Amino acid sequence: MRAFITGITGQDGSYLAELLLKKGYEVFALVRRDEPEEYDRIQPILSRITLVSGDLRDQDSLDAAVQQLQPRELYNLGAQSFAAGSWARPVETADVNGIGVLRVLQAIRKHSPETRFVQASSSEIFSKTDKSLLDEQTPLRPRSPYGDAKAFAHDVTLNYRERYGIFACSCIFFNHESPRRGIEFVTRKITYHAAAIELGLKKQLRLGNLEARRDWGYAGDYVRAMWLMLQQPAAGDYVIATGETHSVRDVLDIAFAHVGLDWHKHVEVDPSMVRNSQDEELSGDSSKARRELGWRPEINFRQLIEMMVESDLAALRKESAVRPAAAGE
């Protein structure tokens, strides 16, 4: 079986590639020819995958890759992945996260119509409603250029499924984290600083709204849902979420307690860092995925945050040659 992944160098792409390799797939990955890629996340498996030059902004490169590979499955994870950052680069975000998906679907339609496609959609296509849990029927109401682009991609995936009969799915991911999460994301920022402060490498952490709540799950669990979607007899859209929300304060509690610190002594609240939409509590109803795919998250919230802290401790110790403090010190 042959799989083609865009965005393999990101958090989700790296976990997905590992999963597919374990299942015996040939894994091919789209990488940009005009920009250097960061291969840190896939370094352990780099020799087992085949890199294909191309770009979500270039239709010809996508056409050539899909025509040549004829993949059984195509996973589109390539994106400008930071919602807040999309305000600084709205046109690029729209081109990559929105029109880029249309280009991939066009390549499939023209050159490999039997390919099964899944789009990494996002809870950012929604905003707060009267419902406590958001599901596949929740109306789209994005609140950022990132959300706008993801909403377009979500809709065009549905349209190509209905118009052309392509096996095209959208996987509506709510927030999902891991040790491979970028440092610009609040969960990783917290776990990194908890580890760095414990090792004496940092002293303070500045954050925005500590009461902002999100539905946070584990990326490794979430990419498994993408694979399950493409094994079904019919294509569909699925919310992937835990159904539980936690606050930034909860992340602080777990991360700093894990290293024996009181976060109140090290965290400064900076009002300039508060996003206008951060007071919204978005939580997903994944009952359809649980019922039809048999999907369940295996890592809970506490395990996730502690896993991230341990990973940051190990990485910082290696980088700085700081020895762990002896017991009782």
Side-chain angles (χ1 to χ4, degrees), residues 19 26 43 67 203 236 315 321:
L19 174 69
E26 286 184 279
Q43 195 62 48
Q67 185 174 31
K203 293 183 178 179

Side-chain angles (χ1 to χ4, degrees), residues 2 4 28-30 52-55 59-71 74 107 111-112:
R2 179 172 291 181
F4 188 26
F28 295 80
L30 187 77
V52 178
S53 178
D55 196 312
Q59 185 70 63
D60 289 344
S61 69
L62 296 172
D63 285 345
V66 171
Q67 185 174 31
Q68 177 182 354
L69 295 176
Q70 298 289 305
L74 198 159
H111 303 296
S112 185

Side-chain angles (χ1 to χ4, degrees), residues 92-194:
E92 178 186 345
T93 300
D95 193 17
V96 175
N97 296 14
I99 303 302
V101 180
L102 176 58
R103 294 187 185 106
V104 174
L105 287 165
Q106 276 286 89
I108 291 172
R109 182 181 71 84
K110 292 187 294 183
H111 303 296
S112 185
E114 298 304 312
T115 292
R116 295 186 166 211
F117 171 79
V118 60
Q119 160 65 9
S121 192
S122 167
S123 62
E124 293 282 341
I125 65 178
F126 303 132
S127 64
K128 190 172 179 61
T129 71
D130 294 335
K131 298 172 63 175
S132 59
L133 295 174
L134 309 184
D135 61 18
E136 295 81 6
Q137 305 306 314
T138 301
L140 307 191
R141 188 171 178 262
R143 299 286 297 279
S144 69
Y146 175 91
D148 289 330
K150 285 288 189 176
F152 172 84
H154 183 84
D155 267 345
V156 80
T157 298
L158 170 63
N159 288 337
Y160 268 61
R161 180 168 77 225
E162 294 181 342
R163 175 68 180 246
Y164 298 113
I166 294 172
F167 194 107
C169 310
S170 281
C171 196
I172 309 169
F173 282 155
F174 278 64
N175 295 68
H176 49 290
E177 319 298 311
S178 77
R180 302 176 192 176
R181 192 55 140 159
I183 194 68
E184 68 272 20
F185 292 87
V186 67
T187 50
R188 178 72 195 295
K189 183 183 292 187
I190 290 171
T191 63
Y192 174 86
H193 278 81

Side-chain angles (χ1 to χ4, degrees), residues 208-276:
N209 182 10
L210 303 189
E211 307 310 321
R213 301 181 68 88
R214 289 293 184 269
D215 184 333
W216 278 302
Y218 171 51
D221 286 337
Y222 283 36
V223 298
R224 178 164 41 85
M226 299 186 87
W227 177 79
L228 286 169
M229 289 170 62
L230 296 192
Q231 314 314 310
Q232 303 308 303
D237 303 327
Y238 295 86
V239 163
I240 304 300
T242 70
E244 302 175 358
T245 63
H246 298 274
S247 67
V248 173
R249 189 181 295 271
D250 294 334
V251 181
L252 287 166
D253 286 340
I254 295 172
F256 278 78
H258 190 66
V259 293
L261 295 175
D262 179 358
W263 65 262
H264 297 86
K265 298 178 180 179
H266 302 282
V267 174
E268 174 188 350
V269 175
D270 183 349
S272 70
M273 298 175 67
V274 177
R275 286 172 55 194
N276 291 336

Side-chain angles (χ1 to χ4, degrees), residues 3-10 13-14 17 27-40 42-43 45-46 49-58 60-62 65-66 69 74-79 104:
F4 188 26
I5 302 173
T6 74
I8 196 170
T9 59
S14 64
V27 175
F28 295 80
L30 187 77
V31 293
R32 291 167 295 185
R33 54 179 174 266
D34 60 342
E35 298 179 31
E37 296 277 0
E38 295 289 342
Y39 293 138
D40 291 353
I42 59 170
Q43 195 62 48
I45 60 170
L46 195 54
I49 61 180
T50 302
L51 304 182
V52 178
S53 178
D55 196 312
L56 289 172
R57 298 166 293 187
D58 178 7
D60 289 344
S61 69
L62 296 172
V66 171
L69 295 176
L74 198 159
Y75 297 83
N76 185 54
L77 296 162
V104 174

